[in-house]
Structure formats: structure tokens, C-alpha cells
């Protein structure tokens, strides 16, 4: 671990914990296990500040993990109940959630979520803003909003519907259906199901951090943006991004290595 560089050192986090290793891999931990890492307004503010600072700090990949047995129990229902918010106040709060999650999804730095236990409600909204989700045997996914008299507000109608499809998301909300294990991977809620989600997330973070940052920037921002465009505009934008990424000077050494036969060949069984 290295000392945090200036934009990260001054973040003053209370509900999140942050470390950075010498390869530029940040580990951001949800750190309210006594509240099952429920997202109160303060935590959402910390997520915004952290993901705003990462690009400036030169972070190359982020592992998003949690303290305690559960990843995240979603909206802090106790805070919400106590605050007795007006429609306008909750509307504004949702925009803060969107700001945090958009910074994750569109920020250009790979975010890998190491999941366990409950990934529910707003916790699933948080996880679905990561680029890669790694589950273990304890991980379960649900959208309990329906039974609590609530509705998703942190982007699930976009991101979770994107992952599992509209019909499955509606079923999850209407009936409280829980997905876990191989079925969760099958429906798209996680890309990996492993024994140790943190170890796998680290392995994946190290692999992604070895890519060129400009390439990762395109992968972790352009694809999401292009999904918001018409097919014709997306194809045009793709060509533009490829024009920039595929001619970057830093890629020349990798291309040369392939051309002279020393670069890696893509074969199954290489991990
Ligand atoms: C909480 C929260 C929370 C736990 N807000 N405080 N989310 C939900 O409907 C999930 C609600 N939580 C649960 O169903 C369970 O807590 C868990 C399955 C996640 C964990 O169960 P368990 O038995 O390990 O813990 P617990 O005894 O229920 O809770 C331990 C403490 O965490 C307790 O606080 P304490 O002070 O009484 O010890 C709980 O109150 C606290 N806690 N979950 C606040 N969510 C932008 S819109 C998004 C909409 C939503 O996300 S809806 C929320 C969906």
C-alpha cells in the first residue's frame, strides 16, 4: 500500500475506507457493517467525492468491496423514515445517487465489485454501476422496494433492466424474487461466481490495470455512452473513439510485439 496522493488524502471519508496500492489499484470499502452498509445521504456524498477524485489521482482500477457479511442493504430506510422527506427532497437525493453511480459507470476507470451477502435494493443499484460484478456463494440479489412501498430511485430501471431485462426486473420488484448462485450469473446479475469474490476481484483488477489507461477509459465510458445513442450515432462515435484509441503512441510497442511474434497469442486455457 502507498500513502494516498493529494486528491485522495484530503477526501475525509467516514463511511467508506480507501487504500491504494503501488500499481494504482484503489480498494474502496463500504464501511458501515453495523448498518449492513445501508446507503445514507452521507455515504452517497462520499461515493461522489471518491469517484470524482480517482481520475485526477491516476487510479487505474477500483475494487469496490464491503466490510461485514453483506455488501449493501440499499437505501438507509431508518434515515429515510426519520427524515420524513418531501417529494422534492427525495427527488434531489436520487439525483445525488445518480451522480455517484454515473461517475462510476462513465468515469473511464474499471470498477470491479466484490460481492457477498445482501446486494439488495439500492445496493444492487450500486453494484450495477460497476463494470464487473464478482459474486460468491453467500451473495444474493433482490429488489425489495415493492414490498416496502417504495420504488427504485438509484438507476435500477436503467442498469438492472439492462442486465436482466425488463420482465425479470418487474418480477423481482413485484414478487421479491431473489437470485443467487449460478442462476444469478445466468440472468446477468454477476459475471463471475467464485469461492472468494475479493481474491477474484483483485485478480481482475490487476489484469485490467495492465491495459493502457486510454483503452480502459474508452471501454469504461464509451460503451455506456453509446448505449444511449441511436445505432447510427453509436457506430459513428465508435469509429471516433477507435480513431483516437487505436492510434495512441503507447499501443505501438504492443502492436510491434505482435507483429514480430513476441506478443501474446490469444488461446484458451491462458486464464
Ligand atoms: C439498515 C438497513 C437499511 C439493515 N437501512 N438500516 N433494502 C432492504 O429492504 C433491505 C433491508 N435490510 C434487510 O433486509 C436486512 O437488514 C439484511 C438482510 C440486509 C441483513 O439482515 P441482518 O439480520 O444481518 O441484519 P438486521 O438485524 O436486519 O440489521 C442490522 C442493523 O442494520 C440494524 O440496525 P440496528 O441499529 O437495529 O442494529 C438495521 O436497522 C440496520 N439496517 N438494513 C437502514 N436498508 C434510491 S431508492 C433505493 C430503494 C431501496 O434501496 S429500498 C431498501 C431495500
Amino acid at each position: 500500500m502507498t500513502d494516498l496522493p493529494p486528491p485522495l488524502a484530503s477526501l475525509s471519508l467516514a463511511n467508506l475506507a480507501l487504500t491504494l496500492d503501488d500499481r494504482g489499484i484503489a480498494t474502496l470499502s463500504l464501511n458501515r457493517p453495523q448498518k449492513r452498509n445501508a446507503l445514507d445521504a452521507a455515504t452517497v456524498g462520499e461515493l461522489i467525492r471518491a469517484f470524482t477524485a480517482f481520475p485526477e489521482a491516476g487510479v487505474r482500477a477500483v475494487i469496490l468491496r464491503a466490510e461485514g457479511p453483506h455488501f449493501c442493504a440499499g437505501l438507509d430506510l431508518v434515515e429515510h423514515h426519520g427524515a420524513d422527506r418531501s417529494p422534492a427532497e427525495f427527488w434531489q437525493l436520487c439525483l445525488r445517487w445518480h451522480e455517484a453511480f454515473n461517475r462510476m459507470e462513465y468515469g473511464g476507470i474499471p470498477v470491479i465489485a466484490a460481492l457477498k451477502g445482501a446486494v439488495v435494493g439500492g445496493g444492487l443499484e450500486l453494484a450495477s454501476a460497476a463494470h464487473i460484478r464478482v459474486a460468491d456463494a453467500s451473495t444474493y440479489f433482490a429488489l425489495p422496494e415493492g414490498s416496502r412501498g417504495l420504488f427504485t430511485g438509484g438507476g435500477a430501471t436503467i442498469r438492472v433492466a439492462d442486465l436482466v431485462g425488463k420482465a425479470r426486473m418487474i418480477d423481482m420488484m413485484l414478487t421479491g424474487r431473489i437470485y443467487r448462485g449460478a442462476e444469478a450469473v445466468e440472468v446477468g446479475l454477476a459475471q463471475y461466481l467464485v469461492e472468494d469474490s475479493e481474491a477474484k476481484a483483485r485478480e481482475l483488477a490487476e489484469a485490467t490495470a495492465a491495459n493502457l489507461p486510454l483503452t480502459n477509459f474508452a471501454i469504461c465510458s464509451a460503451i455506456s455512452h453509446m448505449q444511449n445513442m441511436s445505432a447510427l450515432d453509436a457506430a459513428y462515435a465508435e469509429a471516433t473513439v477507435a480513431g483516437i484509441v487505436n492510434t495512441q503512441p503507447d499501443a505501438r510497442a504492443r502492436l510491434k510485439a505482435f507483429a514480430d511474434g513476441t506478443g501474446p497469442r490469444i488461446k484458451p486455457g491462458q486464464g
Side-chain angles (χ1 to χ4, degrees):
M1 293 303 137
T2 66
D3 285 342
L4 294 175
L8 301 184
S10 54
L11 280 175
S12 83
L13 303 173
N15 298 338
L16 302 176
L18 177 64
T19 60
L20 183 68
D21 75 11
D22 51 13
R23 275 174 286 204
I25 299 173
T27 300
L28 188 64
S29 303
L30 302 171
N31 197 21
R32 279 214 311 162
Q34 71 283 6
K35 298 295 178 192
R36 306 305 183 256
N37 298 312
L39 297 175
D40 61 358
T43 305
V44 173
E46 291 187 19
L47 285 167
I48 294 171
R49 293 206 300 280
F51 280 96
T52 302
F54 288 155
E56 199 190 327
V59 168
R60 294 182 69 120
V62 179
I63 297 168
L64 180 65
R65 61 173 295 282
E67 292 298 336
H70 296 285
F71 178 73
C72 178
L75 174 71
D76 189 318
L77 296 168
V78 177
E79 180 187 66
H80 182 58
H81 175 65
D84 197 15
R85 294 171 171 124
S86 69
E89 284 167 344
F90 198 73
W91 190 338
Q92 288 286 353
L93 182 71
C94 288
L95 295 183
R96 299 274 291 162
W97 283 52
H98 294 181
E99 189 179 345
F101 299 169
N102 288 344
R103 285 194 184 277
M104 289 172 62
E105 182 180 351
Y106 295 90
I109 299 171
V111 180
I112 296 140
L115 304 175
K116 58 185 163 180
V119 184
V120 301
L124 178 50
E125 294 181 308
L126 170 65
S128 65
H131 302 102
I132 302 178
R133 280 160 297 285
V134 184
D136 69 7
S138 73
T139 308
Y140 60 97
F141 301 89
L143 291 172
E145 282 87 343
S147 67
R148 300 226 189 264
L150 303 173
F151 192 72
T152 58
T157 53
I158 299 112
R159 294 191 181 93
V160 177
D162 247 13
L163 293 177
V164 303
K166 180 177 74 173
R168 282 197 190 93
M169 180 179 169
I170 291 174
D171 178 29
M172 288 171 81
M173 290 194 69
L174 284 177
T175 68
R177 181 170 182 166
I178 293 172
Y179 283 100
R180 62 193 313 169
E183 194 184 19
V185 175
E186 226 167 82
V187 301
L189 287 164
Q191 291 104 313
Y192 296 87
L193 174 65
V194 294
E195 204 173 307
D196 183 341
S197 57
E198 299 208 7
K200 184 69 180 177
R202 174 148 299 279
E203 177 194 319
L204 296 170
E206 285 170 7
T208 63
N211 295 337
L212 294 177
L214 184 63
T215 299
N216 278 347
F217 184 81
I219 294 168
C220 296
S221 68
I223 294 170
S224 291
H225 275 291
M226 284 162 193
Q227 289 220 312
N228 302 327
M229 300 175 189
S230 71
L232 203 62
D233 287 338
Y236 191 77
E238 183 187 64
T240 308
V241 172
I244 297 165
V245 173
N246 295 5
T247 58
Q248 62 181 313
D250 287 350
R252 288 198 62 78
R254 295 176 186 224
L255 294 170
K256 177 176 179 297
F258 181 81
D260 69 18
T262 60
R265 264 47 187 169
I266 313 304
K267 293 182 181 163
Q270 290 179 326

